Amino acid sequence: MELYQLTAHEAHQLLKKRKISCKELTSSIIERIENIDNKINAYITKLFDQALKQSETIDNKIKNKEQLHPLAGIPIAIKDNICIEGTPVTCGSKILTGFKAPYNATVIKKLKDAQAIFIGKTNMDEFAMGSSNETSFYGPVKNPWKTDAIPGGSSGGSTAAIATDEAVLALGSDTGGSIRQPASLCGVVGFKPTYGLVSRYGLIAFASSLDQIGPITKDVTDTAILLNTIIGYDPKDTTSQKYTTPDYTESLKKEIRGMKIGIPKEYFIEGLQKEVSFWIKKAISKIEELGAHCIEVSLPHTEYAVATYYLICTAEASSNLARYDGVEYGYRHSDNTLINMYQKTRKEGFGTEVKRRIILGTFVLSAGYYDAYFLKAQKVRTLIKEDFEKAFRSCDVILTPTSPTTAFKLGEKLNNPLSMYLSDIFTISSNLAGIPGISLPCNYAHNLPIGIQFLAPYFGEEILIQIAYALEQSNFFEKRKPVI
Ligand code: GLN
């Protein structure tokens, strides 16, 4: 086994026992990236020099027998919409060319305190708008399982990096499924926390009422460890929640006997790939074998979720992205009049999908259309939230496929936004409701991974870790690694 293949919890044990050094581990990841990333394009910025320097500091700590945080010396990849002070942050956009983050995001500060090692910034759909990672100014990320397929989006760089062992851990952001959908298509674990559990301070805003940072890992144990490190109240984020946070690794020890699992009838739709449906049903049987009870539940407003999401997220994006005008951040077109400079900077700096969303969002917020679109979407959002509240009266968690299909081909949906938007159908309702969700591998179809999703009520992170771990440990299918 190569060092780059280790999970964080395995690496931690070996570091502690001095069986490996942090420098060896970090060098192994760097070598892996250098050998294969030209085929995957997972990284926008590589931080190798500082990572190696940091690894020496950790090795000294180990030599001095100092206490090690479970993430000390563990190489982590950070999605390129999360700010690391003094480091370029591009959001996958031309418009942020040359911009360096002036401060650390709260999650970065927490990871620094834990002494995790930042190995690089990962590729993503421009401003996190996309489901395929094809809208990045830095070129598409390739799916590690089939390089002519998409890895999912928008955190496709982070999920591909984990699938290919180009990082031990990664962070992504999830506004409408951007952690869970690419995790599903790349065959890794992706977790979207409850809205307000993880600080958004230093996460470049796309749709502020939906955005949430979360872990992307090789297994559920690592998810629990990374979650433990990044959660917590932050006065710098007004939507941060004061919640006494548990130790999520405790959930790994609990059985699922007697747990009630809701299966929403609206999620087994036409258009669901037959292998996805087959393996999700197999997983349901496995979970019942483990002692949980599965019951049917209803989420009747699911059919409006995609439309609602694309009204709310575009409205918020149009406002959040107004700040990129060539004055303060990144790219500036040199024109002699102010208005021309603004216009040309935005015309040349933003890609097609971002412009489409700004225009749509401006339209739905404009006087005369506000009530018909934005306000109505907010009302439907409440109905979607209530659907979940009702469903959780009769079950502890909800089980669904993460994505209706396995990874599609690069270019297949790029010119058909509606079909692209429909690939988010199972992930966006939970963002609208603010509840947590996890995606984990659930076998393969034609050597492409299938993902299964669990959703829980607000602050139900513990039960999600519990059920996901139980299923992961049941070994109900044989795990594979992509061959690069
Ligand atoms: N695919 C969705 C979109 O394009 C989700 C994006 C996200 O979660 N950041 O908006």
Side-chain angles (χ1 to χ4, degrees):
M1 188 186 199
E2 302 288 342
L3 294 188
Y4 58 72
Q5 292 173 309
L6 293 169
T7 61
H9 57 96
E10 288 164 349
H12 176 65
Q13 291 308 324
L14 295 173
L15 286 169
K16 238 176 36 180
K17 292 182 191 143
R18 297 172 68 173
K19 295 234 164 89
I20 60 168
S21 75
C22 181
K23 195 160 185 188
E24 284 165 347
L25 175 64
T26 309
S27 306
S28 169
I29 295 282
I30 292 175
E31 210 176 296
R32 178 75 174 157
I33 298 172
E34 279 175 340
N35 285 340
I36 65 161
D37 202 50
N38 58 345
K39 295 190 193 131
I40 304 293
N41 200 24
Y43 284 93
I44 292 177
T45 303
K46 294 165 187 154
L47 303 171
F48 296 166
D49 288 346
Q50 71 184 58
L52 281 171
K53 222 183 264 162
Q54 218 185 328
S55 73
E56 286 167 10
T57 315
I58 306 288
D59 280 334
N60 280 331
K61 273 188 161 261
I62 298 173
K63 253 183 231 142
N64 297 334
K65 301 211 165 88
E66 285 178 41
Q67 186 94 17
L68 278 195
H69 184 283
L71 295 188
I74 306 293
I76 181 165
I78 307 292
K79 186 175 179 180
D80 207 16
N81 57 354
I82 300 173
C83 293
I84 305 181
E85 191 180 336
T87 302
V89 56
T90 70
C91 267
S93 181
K94 179 179 175 184
I95 211 155
L96 281 173
T97 306
F99 179 68
K100 285 190 177 162
Y103 58 85
N104 281 323
T106 297
V107 288
I108 295 299
K109 179 164 184 312
K110 285 176 183 285
L111 287 167
K112 270 192 170 217
D113 292 345
Q115 296 192 303
I117 295 188
F118 304 117
I119 199 82
K121 304 293 298 288
T122 53
N123 204 347
M124 55 181 282
D125 278 300
E126 187 178 3
F127 282 99
M129 298 174 190
S131 312
S132 67
N133 233 293
E134 292 167 294
T135 72
S136 171
F137 176 65
Y138 296 90
V141 177
K142 312 283 173 58
N143 190 305
W145 296 83
K146 263 188 203 162
T147 47
D148 63 348
I150 57 105
S154 63
S155 314
S158 286
T159 56
I162 294 302
T164 52
D165 298 316
E166 290 181 76
V168 180
L169 299 168
L171 283 186
S173 68
D174 193 312
T175 305
S178 275
I179 289 176
R180 292 159 289 154
Q181 185 256 21
S184 157
L185 304 191
C186 288
V188 300
V189 181
F191 197 104
K192 179 202 102 68
T194 302
Y195 184 77
L197 186 68
V198 177
S199 170
R200 290 183 297 111
Y201 180 75
L203 167 69
I204 296 184
F206 160 17
S208 312
S209 77
L210 302 157
D211 298 339
Q212 196 58 191
I213 296 172
I216 294 165
T217 62
K218 296 181 191 180
D219 69 9
V220 178
T221 305
D222 276 3
T223 291
I225 296 168
L226 187 47
L227 254 189
N228 274 350
T229 314
I230 60 172
I231 53 173
Y233 174 69
D234 180 12
K236 290 184 181 138
D237 170 1
T238 51
T239 57
S240 178
Q241 299 272 341
K242 283 195 175 128
Y243 178 73
T244 9
T245 45
D247 173 0
Y248 295 114
T249 60
E250 288 298 315
S251 307
L252 303 171
K253 301 173 192 152
K254 295 182 190 151
E255 274 199 43
I256 61 160
R257 193 160 292 285
M259 198 184 272
K260 275 202 214 133
I261 319 280
I263 318 285
K265 58 176 186 219
E266 293 81 1
Y267 279 50
F268 289 80
I269 48 163
E270 219 183 286
L272 186 62
Q273 192 178 318
K274 72 174 189 307
E275 292 93 345
V276 174
S277 168
F278 178 84
W279 282 107
I280 296 293
K281 285 181 184 150
K282 281 262 181 220
I284 295 174
S285 313
K286 187 75 212 178
I287 286 166
E288 288 193 314
E289 243 174 67
L290 297 172
H293 306 294
C294 295
I295 54 161
E296 187 179 273
V297 293
S298 176
L299 299 168
H301 295 95
T302 301
E303 63 173 302
Y304 307 111
V306 172
T308 306
Y309 169 81
Y310 279 95
L311 290 171
I312 292 174
C313 83
T314 53
E316 293 185 15
S318 71
S319 155
N320 276 328
L321 271 60
R323 72 192 68 168
Y324 306 108
D325 56 7
V327 177
E328 274 174 294
Y329 307 96
Y331 179 70
R332 175 187 298 175
H333 185 280
S334 54
D335 201 291
N336 48 4
T337 72
L338 185 64
I339 291 293
N340 280 349
M341 188 281 284
Y342 283 155
Q343 285 177 348
K344 289 184 182 162
T345 296
R346 286 170 73 80
K347 182 172 175 225
E348 292 164 13
F350 288 133
T352 311
E353 182 61 25
V354 172
K355 284 185 209 159
R356 178 168 21 242
R357 301 225 187 171
I358 293 174
I359 292 167
L360 192 62
T362 308
F363 174 75
V364 303
L365 286 176
S366 58
Y369 293 101
Y370 181 92
D371 286 2
Y373 294 110
F374 187 68
L375 189 64
K376 197 179 256 173
Q378 294 292 8
K379 290 179 180 166
V380 180
R381 183 176 189 173
T382 304
L383 295 174
I384 290 171
K385 235 185 238 179
E386 286 171 0
D387 276 359
F388 281 109
E389 279 162 15
K390 274 185 212 146
F392 285 127
R393 277 182 218 142
S394 57
C395 65
D396 303 305
V397 284
I398 289 176
L399 179 161
T400 82
T402 311
S403 169
T405 64
T406 52
F408 44 90
K409 281 232 159 84
L410 280 159
E412 191 181 317
K413 299 192 180 183
L414 203 54
N415 297 320
N416 185 347
L418 193 58
S419 137
M420 183 77 88
Y421 296 171
L422 285 172
S423 61
D424 302 326
I425 187 144
F426 301 141
T427 46
I428 55 186
S429 300
S430 48
N431 296 78
L432 290 167
I435 59 171
I438 186 170
S439 175
L440 70 152
C442 176
N443 224 330
Y444 312 86
H446 314 291
N447 207 35
L448 283 172
I450 296 168
I452 184 168
Q453 173 177 243
F454 294 100
L455 303 171
Y458 300 108
F459 302 108
E461 276 68 15
E462 288 168 283
I463 201 163
L464 289 182
I465 299 283
Q466 194 182 337
I467 178 91
Y469 185 71
L471 186 61
E472 179 187 76
Q473 295 303 305
S474 74
N475 287 328
F476 88 106
F477 67 95
E478 205 181 314
K479 296 200 178 75
R480 304 176 200 163
K481 279 271 184 187
V483 182
I484 318 291

